Amino acid sequence: MFRRNLSSLHNLLFLALLVIVSVFLAVTARQGHAAAPAAVLARVIGPSSPVQIGDQFVVTVQIEGATNLGAFEFEFGANPAIATTTVADIHLGTFVGSTGRTTGELRLASSPSAPSRPLYAAYSYGAQAGPSGTGQLATITMLATGPGTSSLDVVQLKVTDVSGVEVPATSISGSVQVQGSTRPLYLPLIRRDTY
């Protein structure tokens, strides 16, 4: 009888060990295949109607699908024959600091990858969670310099959560249509003869 009880106990311990190992493997597999963070989208919103040569206009960069946003970085591009801007004309939107976190900005007049493109970045810090959802990342004041249509592009986009983990990010370009003429204006020459 003692041997039968010992054998039953042995089988029970083996079964318990098997269950523990199975649970451990299941948890490990789940952690190894944790869902990747969802991609966020940066949408560039240009003017809704054409602008005239010489006019200033504002472009908005909006983020969609953010979760616990901590920081972002992008290079901004447009056709300089049609519209221009400088990094000093890029300003932080309201979204990054909307949960009460302290914000800061970084600016480069020319990005390392393209001398004609300004690079802009912003970050936040504090005990609060970062914002989630849709909001305004930045506004960009531009000058219409020549006739035509130009794309307004956010490239080299990087987005992180508050712990610094990079989140997959894509962007959708906007556009601006500039109207007017850059033809020189010729005025009649009035001469006075002196006698």
Side-chain angles (χ1 to χ4, degrees):
M1 179 157 172
F2 178 72
R3 281 187 174 193
R4 202 174 343 160
N5 286 343
L6 187 59
S7 178
S8 295
L9 182 62
H10 193 277
N11 288 341
L12 187 61
L13 286 175
F14 179 75
L15 184 61
L17 182 61
L18 187 61
V19 168
I20 291 170
V21 169
S22 297
V23 169
F24 175 77
L25 291 175
V27 169
T28 304
R30 185 176 295 155
Q31 288 174 348
H33 293 90
V40 298
L41 174 69
R43 186 182 303 273
V44 182
I45 305 169
S48 58
S49 57
V51 297
Q52 298 297 312
I53 291 175
D55 287 352
Q56 284 191 330
F57 60 94
V58 176
V59 174
T60 300
V61 180
Q62 176 177 287
I63 193 167
E64 300 172 9
T67 301
N68 205 17
L69 177 67
F72 68 89
E73 172 187 308
F74 63 78
E75 297 173 15
F76 183 76
N79 182 339
I82 297 171
T84 60
T85 192
T86 68
V87 77
D89 295 316
I90 304 176
H91 301 284
L92 182 61
T94 56
F95 191 60
V96 173
S98 63
T99 60
R101 292 171 64 82
T102 303
T103 60
E105 300 169 88
L106 299 169
R107 303 167 188 270
L108 284 177
S110 291
S111 73
S113 64
S116 62
R117 286 197 307 243
L119 183 146
Y120 179 78
Y123 58 91
S124 67
Y125 58 93
Q128 303 89 337
S132 296
T134 298
Q136 185 187 85
L137 285 184
T139 59
I140 303 161
T141 303
M142 301 192 73
L143 177 65
T145 54
T149 299
S150 173
S151 64
L152 305 169
D153 306 310
V154 162
V155 296
Q156 303 296 325
L157 175 65
K158 293 186 175 97
V159 176
T160 70
D161 64 16
V162 294
S163 61
V165 174
E166 190 167 345
V167 177
T170 59
S171 64
I172 296 177
S173 298
S175 66
V176 62
Q177 183 181 359
V178 178
Q179 297 177 337
S181 174
T182 57
R183 290 186 312 226
L185 179 64
Y186 295 100
L187 298 173
L189 178 63
I190 299 174
R191 293 182 57 187
R192 279 192 202 178
D193 290 329
T194 55
Y195 297 96

